[in-house]
Each structure stands twice: as C-alpha cells, then as structure tokens.
Amino acid sequence: MSLGSLGLPTQQRSIPCVLMRGGTSRGPYFLADDLPTDLDVRDAVLLMVMGSPQGRQIDGLGGGTTVTSKVAVVGPSSHPDADVDYLFAQIDPVWGTVDTKPTCGNMLAGVGPFAIEYGLVPAGDPTTSLVVRNVNTDSFIDVVCQTPGGEVSYDGDCAIDGVDGTAAPIELRFRGIEGSVTGSMLPTGRTSEVVTVAGRRTDGPTEVEVTLIDVAMPMVLARALDLGCTGRETPDELESDSAFMALMETIRREAGARMGLGDVSQSVVPKFGMLSEPLHGGTIASRYFTPTQCHPTHAVSGVICVAAASVMVGTVAASLAALAAGQPDGTGAAVGGVPVDIAIEHPSGTFDVSLLAGRLADGVRIHAGGVTRTARKIMAGMAYVPIDIWPA
C-alpha cells in the first residue's frame, strides 16, 4: 500500500512545508501564503506543528532543543530592495512560546535554496545572488547560493563545526545590523556596566560586569570567571547547574529592562553570552544561551554580536580578546575600513566571522558581518494540525 492511497485525515488540516537543516539548526520552512494571516492562529499552528509546549516535542516536528525548534516563513518581499522576506520564529520547547523578536542566521542559510527551489527567485549559473529582508529586524542580508546549471546544489566541500560531513557553501553578508531590535548598538549608552545579583558562591550580593549590546542580536555579555565558571564547561554541564542558570536568567532579565525591552521573562531576547579567553588560537571563546539552553555551537547573529563587541574598546569581550592578542591595555582587535577576521571558539569548534568595521571619533561603527554556512533539504511534504486549531 502506498502512502498516497491512505487518503488525507478528515479531522486535520494539511500545510505544505519543507524540513531543512540551516547551518547548525533545523526546522520546517513554510511559504508565507500557506500560513494563517491572523497572528494568534499562526502561532497556535506553529506550536502544534512543532509539538510544543511538551519539552520533548514528541507530538510534532521539534527535536526537544531550541536549535531544533525553529521555523522559517518565506515569501516575496514587500520591500523594493529585497527579493524575499524571511520571518523567523523561535518555538521554545521549555516555555511553549513563539518569539519573533530575534532572527536566526543559521536558519537563514536555508532561505536562499528554499526560495530558489520554490520559484521565488530565478536561478543563475553557477551561483545565484539574492537579497533577503529579515522581517524580524527589518535588516538585509546578501546571500550567494551554489546553483550550477541553474539547479540548487547541496553538495560541496565546505565544512562547518557542529555538522558532520561537508556541503555546498552559502555566503551570508549581514547589513544594517547595529541596533537590530533596540535601535541602538549600545542601548544604555555604555560599553560596560555592573549588575548586582545574589552571589553565585555566597549568599551576599555579587557585582557582575556586563556589556549590553545589540549588533544583529541583542545580547548580554559577561566574563565566565565573574559568574563562577571557567568558560570551558560543556552545554550539559551548564544546563544541569541550576544555580548558574538561575543567576544567568536574573542578570538577563535585569539587562532586558535596561535595554528597553521590558519584561523579558517569556522572551528569548536578549540572548546571553558567557565569554572567556580562547584555548585554540581563536579571538575569544563563547558559550551562547538561547536562553533556556546552551547552544551546542553558536548562533550566527550571536557570533556577529560577540565579534563586534570584541573590537569595541571598553567591553568585557574586548578585554578578553585583547588578552588573547597579547594587548593588556584591553583595546581589543584592530579595525579599519577593511574586513577583520575574528574566530569565536564554541563548544563544538570555531566560528569564523568577517567583520567590516571602522573607528570613529566616538567609537566603532559596525558596517557588516559575513559568515559561511551550509544547508540541506531533508524532506518535503505536509504538516498536519487539528482543524480546531485552524478551521477551514
């Protein structure tokens, strides 16, 4: 008996989608026209498709982790300077929420191939260039995909840490990334400040120096040593340390209020980065939190944000990057009008960023950030939701 002969469920509604790996993340990609226009109904549909709020997401396509509980919605762009619009949705497997404030550069890696295969962008030969508008942050990304003979190719010799094997490279260049959500690169106007919290190792108050920065992604950056950690811990070790996770969340919520984001207790932004000196010749080491889990590698937007902080005098990142470069004055990496290559070490390896930055009289201007990712189409078909979630 074939699957086609089984017929369609009469009490469920079908929605076309493609399951793809984008960078080190995975999730379904939808055409915008195939989802509800009502945002509350859309969010209910996405929660059902992913199987949230069950932590294991056993009743949906999610994989029980934040990096496998992501959704990309793609459609023709409403902006004259872009080819396609990309809306990212983070479906949190712990909270059971749908958050469209942040973006995701890993899932973005699949947007180009998806848009080309489904006729939103004509294919070139041997590559196809397109401009993607990220609806979440109203920013633009230049994307280059491999399309030899006018067909999307997923095969190639590009390797990224955190994914087995190799695949075709996908080039991403992020523009207009300063103040992606808050409207300002330094929402509080300071390169570093102190948050006072209950102590990690004692019952008394502890002062933790942080940098609150918004470049591609709003983030709270803190030194691992100031949090009672080494920065070498594995994601499992950090997630199982309930005292550390509670401390981090307390700092993150205070940071969110200071950054003008309000109550972030049920929002995934700002993200949290725990930084330390590199061990393997990189610029800096980072543990990135999504925020309920520690990322097994690193988010694209987050790695650009950490890279930007590492070249800004006075940030907690710059002090560690300067130590790695043998510059005890804490000036961080040198910048000019040319790209600076920055290597961010993470739990699964290293993430390279090409950062275009320039020094101004009042600080650093971040013009663009470039990374190379890969993607793979895993399957295409129908997702199903009960008709009481989305009535016909």
Side-chain angles (χ1 to χ4, degrees):
M1 178 180 292
S2 69
L3 289 175
S5 66
L6 296 179
L8 296 176
T10 59
Q11 297 181 340
Q12 296 198 82
R13 181 166 182 162
S14 61
I15 312 168
C17 72
V18 177
L19 187 65
M20 296 186 71
R21 173 185 64 79
T24 56
S25 297
R26 190 192 71 212
Y29 289 65
F30 294 93
L31 288 171
D33 288 345
D34 289 332
L35 289 175
T37 55
D38 182 282
L39 298 187
D40 290 336
V41 177
R42 180 203 66 189
D43 289 353
V45 167
L46 296 182
L47 286 169
M48 179 60 65
V49 167
M50 300 306 288
S52 287
Q54 299 176 8
R56 292 184 300 147
Q57 296 180 316
I58 196 67
D59 200 35
L61 295 176
T65 68
T66 50
V67 296
T68 56
S69 187
K70 299 183 175 186
V71 173
V73 182
V74 185
S77 182
S78 58
H79 196 286
D81 296 333
D83 297 298
V84 296
D85 281 350
Y86 156 55
L87 176 72
F88 167 70
Q90 177 70 67
I91 316 299
D92 194 278
V94 176
W95 293 335
T97 55
V98 180
D99 200 339
T100 57
K101 293 187 189 72
T103 184
C104 177
N106 275 303
M107 288 290 282
L108 173 65
V111 170
F114 176 85
I116 296 167
E117 286 206 36
Y118 289 87
L120 299 178
V121 177
D125 182 17
T127 63
T128 301
S129 298
L130 64 150
V131 177
V132 175
R133 173 177 170 258
N134 177 235
V135 177
N136 308 73
T137 60
D138 195 27
S139 59
F140 297 84
I141 307 96
D142 301 309
V143 180
V144 180
C145 303
Q146 305 300 307
T147 53
E151 298 288 339
V152 173
S153 175
Y154 295 98
D155 297 328
D157 58 5
C158 179
I160 61 174
D161 289 339
V163 177
D164 293 336
T166 62
I170 299 171
E171 305 296 333
L172 308 175
R173 182 176 178 271
F174 295 76
R175 304 187 259 131
I177 51 181
E178 291 186 359
S180 62
V181 174
T182 65
S184 175
M185 180 166 61
L186 296 171
T188 66
R190 296 183 288 274
T191 55
S192 69
E193 54 201 274
V194 171
V195 175
T196 302
V197 293
R200 166 105 161 101
R201 302 301 183 192
T202 67
D203 293 330
T206 295
E207 293 186 341
V208 178
E209 185 181 10
V210 298
T211 290
L212 309 183
I213 182 171
D214 182 2
V215 178
M217 173 67 69
M219 287 193 70
V220 188
L221 305 178
R223 299 181 189 89
L225 291 179
D226 292 344
L227 300 172
C229 299
T230 65
R232 317 301 177 204
E233 293 86 356
T234 66
D236 286 344
E237 288 172 336
L238 291 168
E239 290 175 22
S240 63
D241 187 339
S242 58
F244 165 77
M245 293 296 288
L247 174 67
M248 180 196 68
E249 181 62 13
T250 298
I251 296 172
R252 194 186 73 87
R253 292 186 186 187
E254 171 62 23
R258 294 189 188 187
M259 298 171 81
L261 296 170
D263 180 4
V264 299
S265 59
Q266 292 295 307
S267 174
V268 301
V269 294
K271 300 294 176 66
F272 197 98
M274 185 176 75
L275 309 180
S276 58
E277 294 179 54
L279 282 180
H280 307 293
T283 307
I284 195 170
S286 175
R287 296 294 185 266
Y288 182 87
F289 295 85
T290 58
T292 56
Q293 297 174 342
C294 181
H295 203 295
T297 56
H298 211 290
V300 171
S301 51
V303 83
I304 292 174
C305 191
V306 172
S310 72
V311 302
M312 297 175 61
V313 176
T315 67
V316 297
S319 64
L320 294 165
L323 289 172
Q327 303 169 5
D329 60 355
T331 56
V335 293
V338 296
V340 178
D341 293 329
I342 296 174
I344 311 296
E345 296 181 5
H346 56 72
S348 300
T350 301
F351 203 140
D352 295 322
V353 182
S354 178
L355 194 70
L356 183 61
R359 288 210 187 280
L360 301 176
D362 59 348
V364 172
R365 176 70 187 273
I366 307 299
H367 301 294
V371 300
T372 301
R373 298 276 85 187
T374 64
R376 188 174 83 86
K377 183 166 71 171
I378 298 171
M379 66 171 292
M382 296 289 183
Y384 292 91
V385 298
I387 56 174
D388 59 350
I389 298 292
W390 184 16

